[in-house]
Amino acid sequence: MRHAVSRPRPRVLAAGLALAAATLLPAGSAGAADEYEWAALGDSFTAGVFVGDPQPPLGDPSQDGCARTSGSYPSLVARELAASPPGKPVRLTNVACSSAVIANVAKVKQTPISPVETPPGGWPAVDTQIERAGLDAGTDVVTIAIGGNSLPFGDIFPKCLELGASDQSCRAYFTNPPAGVESVRERLARVQNEYTEMLAAVHRAAPNAKVINIGYPTIMPTRGSACDRGSLTELDTTTHADVDWLRDDVLKPLNKTLQRASSSFGDRYVDVFSSSAGHDVCQPEGTKWMEGICGDAADYWPTTFPGTGVECAPIGKHATMIHPNAAGHANTAVHVERAIRHALRQH
């Protein structure tokens, strides 16, 4: 049954979907002999956006528009490592930023788009994540989770909504796109090149660090028919066939692309897709680890995302724009913590 809420405008959903963690510590200081240095890099799936208290806190002048929160997996892992140190304390510098693309890690400054306490004129640009994290020879561990905004998923999914509203095929559109539009195959090839170049820059900046690459969790169900078409708490007008296509021809290949690039450097890859199966966006509340276009979020998070036309207030939801919830971050934290402890044992 369809929810009686305002329908999002597909062309402008990209901005919200691109919105894609722990207090940001001062960058540029080398790891001390009595502590390990861990830098967390990534996009909104790392930042945490709406799953906890904003970090820095609301009203703090150091807010940067990246939407990191206390409920993000880096924050959760940091607390576990503090409770049971792996030999010595671990110092986290978290520079994950919502809407970040691969180029924002090493090459291009980013202009954040958080909808919370946005200053007049918008958020100022922030330096690359390598610079903000202060990666150097004293960095012991670097975790990276990024790539979805470089496809970008925030371009593909709105088109699927637009075409799905008239029962047209999103898969057909991106398999044989019109002139000037990249096919999914071309996008994945480009992402692999960008990600490989980014990893090379990370290794140069932190030559002694163990680098851990993290894939994306399950978003779509095993069968597209499990989704309630028209529900904004799920994938709205996307056809069931296109849900299957998004899972098998977009998300899974993206994770394989990240894993392949990771392996080429001898880095560790953390798979969170497998462990999150059955907790996709089309599951009921309490089972899903992924919120839909509208979903549950902390009260400070808006019920509409600027420029998207999404309005979730009528059903008592917030504009979560397809992101992991607290349970999703908790699952990722388990696997990332394990990978970090293993990496530090090798130091």
Side-chain angles (χ1 to χ4, degrees):
M1 181 173 64
R2 295 177 183 268
H3 294 290
V5 297
S6 299
R7 189 69 58 210
R9 296 193 298 271
R11 293 181 182 176
V12 292
L13 259 177
L17 290 171
L19 180 71
T23 302
L24 176 62
L25 297 175
S29 58
D34 60 347
E35 65 181 3
Y36 288 120
E37 288 279 351
W38 164 29
L41 318 181
D43 57 23
S44 55
F45 276 53
T46 296
V49 292
F50 52 77
V51 297
D53 297 327
Q55 293 187 330
L58 294 176
D60 192 301
S62 64
Q63 271 284 353
D64 56 9
C66 286
R68 292 179 298 276
T69 69
S70 61
S72 66
Y73 72 79
S75 295
L76 300 179
V77 173
R79 291 198 284 273
E80 289 298 318
L81 294 176
S84 179
K88 56 184 178 181
V90 177
R91 179 177 182 270
L92 168 63
T93 301
N94 186 0
V95 295
C97 194
S98 298
S99 79
V101 297
I102 294 170
N104 295 141
V105 172
K107 295 175 62 176
V108 181
K109 287 187 175 183
Q110 176 186 355
T111 301
I113 60 171
S114 172
V116 179
E117 296 189 339
T118 306
W123 295 101
V126 296
D127 286 332
T128 65
Q129 294 191 19
I130 282 180
E131 292 173 337
R132 299 190 87 196
L135 298 190
D136 59 21
T139 305
D140 298 291
V141 177
V142 179
T143 56
I144 308 171
I146 202 163
N149 292 329
S150 293
L151 275 175
F153 184 70
D155 167 56
I156 295 172
F157 184 68
K159 193 65 179 179
C160 290
L161 289 180
E162 177 187 333
L163 294 172
S166 57
D167 290 321
Q168 297 182 64
S169 173
C170 180
R171 175 178 186 169
Y173 180 89
F174 284 106
T175 300
N176 296 293
V181 177
E182 285 183 300
S183 68
V184 165
R185 179 177 294 181
E186 291 169 331
R187 291 166 192 249
L188 290 168
R190 174 175 50 75
V191 165
Q192 178 162 324
N193 291 336
E194 292 175 359
Y195 199 89
T196 300
E197 182 180 352
M198 177 271 293
L199 280 182
V202 169
H203 279 277
R204 285 194 300 270
N208 300 316
K210 298 294 183 182
V211 178
I212 300 169
N213 299 275
I214 304 158
Y216 286 89
T218 297
I219 298 175
M220 302 85 184
T222 303
R223 295 186 304 277
S225 58
C227 291
D228 176 11
R229 286 195 68 193
S231 171
L232 284 177
T233 61
E234 298 182 11
L235 298 173
D236 195 30
T237 57
T238 309
T239 69
H240 292 157
D242 281 340
V243 171
D244 291 330
W245 172 77
L246 286 166
R247 181 193 63 245
D248 294 334
D249 289 13
V250 181
L251 183 58
K252 285 184 178 179
L254 173 60
N255 278 338
K256 289 180 180 178
T257 296
L258 305 183
Q259 183 175 19
R260 188 161 48 243
S262 175
S263 297
S264 70
F265 285 87
D267 295 341
R268 181 162 184 167
Y269 174 78
V270 175
D271 168 29
V272 293
F273 184 93
S274 300
S275 59
S276 56
H279 299 280
D280 55 83
V281 69
C282 294
Q283 298 301 317
E285 292 184 20
T287 300
K288 63 166 60 184
W289 292 353
M290 186 72 55
E291 298 299 314
I293 296 171
C294 297
D296 294 329
D299 288 340
Y300 66 82
W301 198 253
T303 58
T304 184
F305 200 88
T308 65
V310 171
E311 181 49 69
C312 305
I315 55 172
K317 301 293 183 180
H318 296 260
T320 46
M321 310 307 291
I322 312 178
H323 281 83
N325 57 26
H329 278 275
N331 177 66
T332 299
V334 169
H335 298 279
V336 173
E337 179 189 352
R338 183 181 303 136
I340 290 176
R341 289 187 184 277
H342 180 268
L344 293 179
R345 284 197 297 268
Q346 297 178 317
H347 266 275

